[in-house]
Amino acid sequence: MDHTFGFQTAVEEAQRSLLAAKVEATSGLRGIGLVKLMGRQSGFIAMQASLASGLVDICLIPEEPFDLEGDHGLLAYIERVMAYKGHCVLCCAEGAGQNLLQPQDGSPRELDPSGNVKLKDIGIFLKHKIRQHFATSPTAGGPVDLKLIDPTYMIRTIESGQQDSIYCKVLAHSAVDAAFAGYTGICVAQVNTHFAMLPIPVITKYPRRVDPLGKPWTRLKADVQQPPLHK
Ligand SMILES: O=P(O)(O)OC[C@H]1O[C@](O)(CO)[C@@H](O)[C@@H]1O
């Protein structure tokens, strides 16, 4: 499937928050802008919005774990960005870093009424950890002014962009065609630029995820010059 409907609109809107984070981070002394975006299991929106905006210094997605502490970890890297640029913009998918937040003792994870694992808030967690680190570490160069932006509901509720609107229209036409042809249990989607019918059990079997070794993610990391943040 090339992309799901709403994706382009979400990426477009997410960039407004990244711009707000950049403006906030550069308007004060030692500013850090942290944006938490949708993406429970996959970091496509965070990755794409970061790449498109050109404003992000660090992007965190569920597919690539990161360490907080240590010379190679996130906090040390933010220190380096702050020393070099004087400010830092982070874009974080909501499912990133859950290993740092969820109990690691094998106890069952809390589920919501739909059966999804209830995620802990990585935005609030990082906000506290980063502030605390810069306020207390002798090497960190002093406290930072961190602003956390969570645009989830703004993104979820906006009117769709023209590309998504047309995409949805064609999907609707294709779904009606499929129904008239007698197909059930299928989903229509664009696959390699063609509209195709896909069996629902097949597409719901696995979540589609960013390949941590694939071109899009590698391109983004090269673009923002982000090093590996885990051992
Ligand atoms: O607060 P609610 O309504 O449970 O929705 C939050 C969830 O909805 C989504 O925004 C998807 O629509 C997820 O990214 C998020 O985890």
Side-chain angles (χ1 to χ4, degrees), residues 115-151:
N116 301 313
V117 171
K118 271 195 185 171
L119 297 183
K120 307 278 185 208
D121 195 322
I122 186 68
I124 291 178
F125 173 80
L126 287 179
K127 178 174 96 170
H128 291 311
K129 287 287 179 192
I130 295 169
R131 277 191 184 153
Q132 187 188 30
H133 174 78
F134 280 89
T136 55
S137 162
T139 59
V144 289
D145 183 9
L146 187 150
K147 306 285 196 281
L148 169 63
I149 299 174
D150 181 346

Side-chain angles (χ1 to χ4, degrees), residues 22-46:
K22 177 76 173 183
V23 172
E24 288 289 340
T26 50
S27 300
L29 191 62
R30 293 178 58 70
I32 295 184
L34 169 60
V35 178
K36 189 186 87 168
L37 293 178
M38 297 145 98
R40 299 174 56 85
Q41 302 188 56
S42 316
F44 287 104
I45 295 177

Side-chain angles (χ1 to χ4, degrees), residues 38-40 94 119 152-153 156:
M38 297 145 98
R40 299 174 56 85
E94 65 187 319
L119 297 183
T152 302
Y153 301 117
R156 198 160 86 168

Side-chain angles (χ1 to χ4, degrees), residues 55-162:
L55 301 170
V56 167
D57 299 297
I58 302 169
C59 179
L60 304 171
I61 59 170
E63 293 86 341
E64 183 152 304
F66 62 91
D67 294 334
L68 213 46
E69 311 286 345
D71 286 349
H72 64 286
L74 176 66
L75 294 171
Y77 184 58
I78 300 174
E79 269 189 33
R80 297 207 287 281
V81 176
M82 291 299 286
Y84 178 63
K85 295 177 84 170
H87 69 272
C88 182
V89 176
L90 291 93
C91 174
C92 177
E94 65 187 319
Q98 289 295 313
N99 56 314
L100 304 169
L101 297 161
Q102 299 282 355
Q104 298 299 306
D105 55 5
S107 56
R109 291 179 164 195
E110 221 185 319
L111 302 180
D112 70 13
S114 311
N116 301 313
V117 171
K118 271 195 185 171
L119 297 183
K120 307 278 185 208
D121 195 322
I122 186 68
I124 291 178
F125 173 80
L126 287 179
K127 178 174 96 170
H128 291 311
K129 287 287 179 192
I130 295 169
R131 277 191 184 153
Q132 187 188 30
H133 174 78
F134 280 89
T136 55
S137 162
T139 59
V144 289
D145 183 9
L146 187 150
K147 306 285 196 281
L148 169 63
I149 299 174
D150 181 346
T152 302
Y153 301 117
M154 295 301 295
I155 291 177
R156 198 160 86 168
T157 52
I158 50 156
E159 200 180 333
S160 63
Q162 50 96 11

Side-chain angles (χ1 to χ4, degrees), residues 6 8 11 19 30 46 58 68 97 148 165 173 184 190 206 213:
Q8 298 197 349
V11 169
L19 178 60
R30 293 178 58 70
I58 302 169
L68 213 46
L148 169 63
S165 298
H173 292 172
T184 56
Q190 192 178 306
Y206 309 103
L213 300 175

